[in-house]
Amino acid sequence: MEQTNQSNRPASSLSPRALAGAIGVSESSLKRWADEGLLVAERTAGGHRRIRVSEAVRFVREAGLTVVKPELLALPTARGDVPRTDASEHLFRALLEDRAAEARGLIVSLYLQGAGLGWIFDVPMREAMSRLGTMWEHDSGAIFLEHRATETCLRVLEELRRLLPEPTGDAPVAVGGGYGGDPYLIPSTMAGLVLAEAGYRAWNLGADTPVEATLAAIRHYRPRLVWQSFSVPPVRPRDAAAGVRRIRAAMNGGSTVVGGRGTIVFPAPMLPGVHRIGSMTELGAFARGLLSGVQSGVEGGAA
Ligand code: B12
């Protein structure tokens, strides 16, 4: 099989035959598209064509093709196409009923069908997790469902990362994480992926990242953008705001972004020059705007 290498990890590139099989077209059509420049194929030392997985995914999304055999791309499988309007309900059910592979397949399929990461994160994933988060009110044992669903979401986020193109050598850098004391893993991972999709080299420092660690990363990478995620209100909002202001001061012209439900505890004057962004879709738009020089109307003004 072409799709795994000897270490049994998913391959980062595919043969024309493997990709043709995955999207249900003939190998000769695929080679012709490569020759016509519609699909970028590289050559191995032996002269064989190889297509990067991220390039294959770009082609599938832009051409509106359907991946009929996702397993050939080492991707989880969804049972047929799910309409976007039903995605939240399907995802919630799959996560609740321990159908993890189906949940992952659904999310990957939405992406392959052309949905942006921002929408996938803000709508089906946020809504499904939010519903799961109310279950413990009726049954304290249901907290294990949250943990299990978190694990499945993190796994599919890693799978989505593999489908994104590698950042270019001169890509702007973004760093960020969950604020110190904030244990939530999913939102910051999502922020890193949305920024990678927007063309950044994004370093997610993870949950519960102390201010000092973020400051060290800023000194090291000199990022264009830093993000801080607050999923729950910080225990000491004044101290947290002071920490964000230190981060903002270290950014030297770069942008500082905060987001997440916990930011509700910061009245605007507490975070001057800091952009408060409510969703992953808006984060992607803001980050793209920075690269194209477009001013954003997001709260905080120009940083
Ligand atoms: C999974 C989960 C946990 C897991 C986290 C596992 C992990 N390591 O990640 C665990 C079990 C640890 C946990 C613990 C607790 N939890 Co909890 N948890 C959740 C749950 C179900 C999902 C969180 C999640 O990942 N959601 C998915 C993300 C993507 O959605 P989101 O957070 O809404 O983020 C979106 C936007 O806010 C925005 N965004 C978020 N961050 C950022 C950052 C930037 C930069 C930007 C631009 C945008 C942005 O974009 C996202 C996508 O749209 C939520 C329910 C919910 N409504 O989300 C409860 C929830 C957050 N938890 C809650 C509670 C009460 C707790 C506990 C106190 C429970 C307890 N008694 O121990 C503890 C507190 C932990 C702590 N120290 O603070 C409450 C919080 C209520 C409140 N007042 O805020 C919620 C809302 C559940 C509920 N309905 O009551 N939890």
Side-chain angles (χ1 to χ4, degrees):
M1 289 278 272
E2 299 269 1
Q3 79 272 23
T4 53
N5 58 22
Q6 283 174 345
S7 65
N8 215 27
R9 289 216 199 98
S12 58
S13 68
L14 304 157
S15 67
R17 176 187 293 209
L19 180 55
I23 59 180
V25 301
S26 69
E27 197 179 339
S28 59
S29 298
L30 206 105
K31 285 181 174 167
R32 195 179 65 248
W33 294 337
D35 290 341
E36 288 169 358
L38 299 173
L39 175 69
V40 177
E42 290 154 20
R43 295 270 181 182
T44 63
H48 298 289
R49 291 183 184 84
R50 298 288 297 181
I51 300 137
R52 286 178 191 256
V53 170
S54 56
E55 170 60 7
V57 168
R58 179 201 64 76
F59 182 67
V60 165
R61 281 166 56 88
E62 287 181 10
L65 295 165
T66 303
V67 178
V68 289
K69 290 193 179 160
E71 64 278 12
L72 291 183
L73 303 179
L75 293 173
T77 320
R79 255 194 267 145
D81 281 0
V82 173
R84 287 195 198 181
T85 43
D86 295 345
S88 295
E89 176 67 21
H90 277 254
L91 182 60
F92 169 68
R93 289 270 150 225
L95 289 171
L96 182 68
E97 292 162 11
D98 201 12
R99 288 180 273 116
E102 196 179 318
R104 287 162 40 227
L106 168 62
I107 290 165
V108 168
S109 298
L110 288 167
Y111 184 67
L112 292 174
Q113 286 164 35
L117 289 184
W119 180 83
I120 294 174
F121 296 165
D122 289 334
V123 183
M125 290 185 78
R126 186 187 58 77
E127 288 179 0
M129 288 305 288
S130 178
R131 279 177 76 183
L132 279 163
T134 58
M135 316 240 8
W136 64 270
E137 291 166 11
H138 317 288
D139 170 9
S140 59
I143 288 175
F144 101 89
L145 297 174
E146 286 183 16
H147 284 264
R148 190 175 69 190
T150 300
E151 175 70 21
T152 301
C153 288
L154 290 171
R155 186 152 170 214
V156 74
L157 293 177
E158 195 47 51
E159 282 159 336
L160 289 171
R161 174 174 294 283
R162 189 170 75 86
L163 306 185
L164 295 177
E166 275 295 305
T168 54
D170 60 353
V173 174
V175 297
Y179 193 78
D182 186 317
Y184 289 81
L185 290 162
I186 297 174
S188 192
T189 309
M190 287 178 170
L193 286 176
V194 163
L195 292 165
E197 188 187 38
Y200 289 69
R201 184 178 296 279
W203 296 101
N204 173 30
L205 305 176
D208 191 9
T209 304
V211 171
E212 292 304 333
T214 304
L215 291 171
I218 292 171
R219 284 192 296 274
H220 185 78
Y221 288 115
R222 300 187 177 284
R224 183 76 189 79
L225 185 153
V226 65
W227 78 87
Q228 292 286 283
S229 178
F230 290 88
S231 287
V232 279
V235 182
R236 283 184 286 277
R238 280 175 189 286
D239 291 352
V244 175
R245 288 197 300 269
R246 286 179 69 203
I247 289 171
R248 148 108 174 93
M251 278 301 281
N252 249 332
S255 298
T256 305
V257 169
V258 295
R261 279 168 286 103
T263 58
I264 195 164
V265 295
F266 301 125
M270 256 172 137
L271 298 178
V274 172
H275 301 269
R276 188 192 312 248
I277 300 185
S279 71
M280 294 295 157
T281 306
E282 289 169 76
L283 177 63
F286 175 82
R288 285 191 182 87
L290 278 183
L291 297 189
S292 62
V294 174
Q295 287 293 316
S296 159
V298 180
E299 184 187 321

